[in-house]
Amino acid sequence: MEEKNYITPPGHERIKAELLKLLNVDRPEIVQVVHWAASNGDRSENGDYIYGKKRLREIDRRIRFLNKRLEFAVVVDNSARKNGDSDAEQVFFGATVTYSPLEGSEAGKETVVTIVGVDEVDLEKNHVSWVSPIAKALIKARLGDSVVIQTPTGPSEIEILAVEYL
């Protein structure tokens, strides 16, 4: 049995959309190209055929991977926290957290991260995995708390300035 794959609703939709595109658009196009190329005769030196079969294997591999990820996906819905019905000041999966180091050269510099599933990590958008060291330090902390995170230069204390659920 595989480990649960926690994911946000937008991440789940993105993976489903990619899977459907592969199944309904990309794969049929490549199958058509391979069929056409195979009908041309000699397959040993037929670039369209060789490339098409390779691309088809890549698409099938990605389809299997996405199916497996969706099979074990647990969509975490934070609508209760968004609406204020639940504790929106505590950091959980799906939270967007603004924090600032309390000491060192970076003191006072605000950083914003969103805690997402491992399939949704995007460092350009500051989306970090829930299993990353920063997320592990932040989860279950509250607005205004100070937590210690491990950095490459050693432990660093940060203060949580804002918690939002988008």
Side-chain angles (χ1 to χ4, degrees):
M1 185 175 136
E2 294 220 4
E3 187 176 311
K4 290 182 180 175
N5 177 28
Y6 294 105
I7 193 164
T8 62
H12 188 261
E13 288 302 314
R14 184 186 55 78
I15 289 176
K16 274 185 17 183
E18 181 183 352
L19 178 61
L20 290 174
K21 182 179 180 289
L22 287 171
L23 287 169
N24 298 330
V25 178
D26 296 349
R27 192 174 195 289
E29 285 177 2
I30 297 297
V31 166
Q32 206 170 26
V33 168
V34 169
H35 177 70
W36 168 81
S39 70
N40 287 338
D42 185 12
R43 296 176 186 173
S44 64
E45 294 182 17
N46 187 333
D48 288 329
Y49 179 80
I50 293 168
Y51 174 75
K53 291 293 281 184
K54 181 181 178 204
R55 181 70 183 124
L56 200 55
R57 284 191 301 272
E58 291 169 356
I59 289 172
D60 288 343
R61 188 177 310 120
R62 183 70 179 165
I63 288 170
R64 282 192 304 277
F65 174 77
L66 293 175
N67 272 327
K68 191 64 95 174
R69 297 308 289 172
L70 288 173
E71 180 181 340
F72 293 101
V74 176
V75 180
V76 179
D77 187 13
N78 285 311
S79 57
R81 288 188 180 88
K82 290 178 196 175
N83 300 332
D85 299 340
S86 187
D87 191 2
E89 291 188 354
Q90 192 169 10
V91 179
F92 291 105
F93 183 90
T96 299
V97 181
T98 304
Y99 67 87
S100 173
L102 293 175
E103 55 208 28
S105 61
E106 298 288 312
K109 180 183 174 206
E110 291 185 4
T111 304
V112 179
V113 296
T114 302
I115 301 170
V116 296
V118 293
D119 295 326
E120 303 172 89
V121 172
D122 185 348
L123 297 180
E124 290 179 5
K125 294 180 181 177
N126 287 338
H127 289 184
V128 297
S129 166
W130 66 279
V131 295
S132 67
I134 184 70
K136 285 183 176 182
L138 290 171
I139 288 179
K140 296 210 177 162
R142 294 183 169 279
L143 179 66
D145 284 356
S146 295
V147 295
V148 176
I149 60 168
Q150 292 298 325
T151 65
T153 58
S156 177
E157 189 173 6
I158 61 171
E159 179 182 12
I160 299 172
L161 304 174
V163 179
E164 296 176 275
Y165 290 90
L166 306 173

